[in-house]
């Protein structure tokens, strides 16, 4: 190469590239970890992988924007422009590493007047995943934003999939009313589990209507955690998994593992020297999404190494923090050509 392209030239080239082509990388990495046998260690509910789904914003500016930007109006009359993604990551209640399954851009759709939203992105994401993983056993774990009929129908359309979705009293009054009526009639099954760290209390009811109009049936679990100091936390989930005394504890563990996509993915990308929210380049077409995909792919590779590569694990133990690890790798890359971790 006689003339190496400048950073701006590379950005201009990437801006015209199709994010869909780069998105294929997540499926290639999934097949890689499957061939490695790494996925077997992530199966928690029988054959099922637990997949946490949540949205993350990766660009925001009051000046830089493009036709795909979403808009947010402020009280002072100003406008913020932003890009976001709906991410799906394979998690395990007992594992720190997460494996990024896929990412659906939340951006202004062609011809649309209103902002795109997480619920619309969820339907596109599940449709995309259905084309790739309809034969794969998965339990999708989501927050209460996704406990609506269209999302539940999309998840129920795949026989090998299950779901655990948070629900709230204010937004699911019909569902909670049925639970209370069932409890008054003694049809809610209650049991508790005592542990050194506190007490788990479960209330389970099966076959309730999600809402009054869709006819969709779900199972509802009320879960209360009491710490030794008396402090309590309450969670409620709608699920397609039949709730019994034997299944309740694992459903709870899967439901609470939803936070791993926040703690182990988004927080790591923002605070562990990936600089996820840094504007590496916005472009006018696809550059912002391309950079977000590249970042997620890099993170995916790092998580695979952290979960399975003994050399990577040894270096991380020695340096103690990822920040020091990345700094050391960059220093080595500056002076030596490296083909692998060894």
């Amino acid at each position: 190469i006689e003339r190496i392209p400048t950073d701006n030239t590379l950005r201009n080239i990437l801006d015209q590239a199709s994010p869909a082509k780069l998105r294929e990388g997540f499926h290639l990495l999934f097949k890689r970890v499957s061939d490695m046998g790494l996925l077997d260690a992530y199966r928690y509910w029988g054959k099922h992988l637990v997949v946490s789904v949540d949205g993350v914003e990766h660009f925001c500016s009051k000046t830089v924007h493009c036709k795909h930007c979403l808009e947010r109006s402020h009280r002072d009359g100003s406008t913020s422009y932003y890009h976001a993604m709906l991410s799906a990551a394979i998690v395990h209640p007992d594992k720190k590493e997460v494996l990024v399954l896929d990412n659906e851009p939340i951006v202004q759709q062609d011809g649309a007047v209103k902002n795109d939203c997480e619920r619309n992105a969820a339907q596109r994401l599940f449709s995309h995943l259905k084309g790739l993983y309809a034969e794969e056993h998965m339990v999708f774990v989501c927050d209460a934003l996704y406990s609506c009929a269209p999302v539940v129908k999309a998840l129920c359309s795949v026989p090998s999939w299950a779901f655990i979705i948070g629900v709230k009293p204010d937004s699911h009054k019909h569902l909670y009313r049925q639970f209370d009526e069932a409890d008054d009639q003694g049809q809610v099954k209650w049991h508790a589990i005592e542990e050194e760290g506190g007490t788990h209390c479960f209330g389970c009811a099966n076959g309730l209507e999600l809402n009054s109009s869709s006819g969709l049936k779900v199972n509802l679990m009320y879960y209360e955690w009491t710490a030794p100091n008396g402090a309590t936390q309450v969670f409620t989930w709608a699920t397609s998994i039949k709730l019994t005394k034997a299944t309740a504890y694992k459903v709870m563990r899967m439901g609470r593992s939803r936070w791993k996509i926040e703690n182990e993915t988004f927080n790591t990308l923002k605070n562990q020297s990936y600089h996820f929210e840094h504007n590496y380049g916005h472009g006018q077409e696809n550059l912002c999404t391309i950079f977000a995909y590249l970042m997620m792919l890099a993170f995916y590779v790092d998580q695979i190494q952290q979960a399975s590569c003994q050399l990577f694990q040894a270096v991380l133990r020695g340096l103690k923090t990822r920040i020091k690890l990345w700094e050391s790798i960059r220093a080595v890359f500056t002076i030596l050509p490296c083909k692998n971790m060894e």
Side-chain angles (χ1 to χ4, degrees), residues 6-7 34 176 190 328:
T6 63
D7 285 355
S34 179
Y176 273 79
W190 294 92
S328 300

Side-chain angles (χ1 to χ4, degrees), residues 22-36 38-39 90 99-101 133 293-305:
L22 197 59
R23 188 174 182 175
E24 295 173 14
F26 297 103
H27 183 53
L28 293 174
L29 286 173
F30 178 88
K31 290 194 292 185
R32 178 65 179 268
V33 296
S34 179
D35 292 342
M36 290 167 57
L38 185 59
L39 283 182
I90 298 169
L99 306 174
V100 182
L101 183 66
Y133 306 113
Y293 275 177
L294 287 170
M295 183 76 75
M296 280 290 186
L297 287 167
F299 173 73
Y300 196 168
V301 171
D302 292 338
Q303 290 289 284
I304 293 170
Q305 290 197 106

Side-chain angles (χ1 to χ4, degrees), residues 4 24 40 57 103 111 141 187 202 286 289 304 322 335 338:
I4 297 174
E24 295 173 14
D40 294 336
E57 188 175 302
N103 298 275
V141 186
Q187 296 173 355
F202 303 93
N286 303 312
T289 299
I304 293 170
R322 289 189 186 90
I335 59 174
C338 300

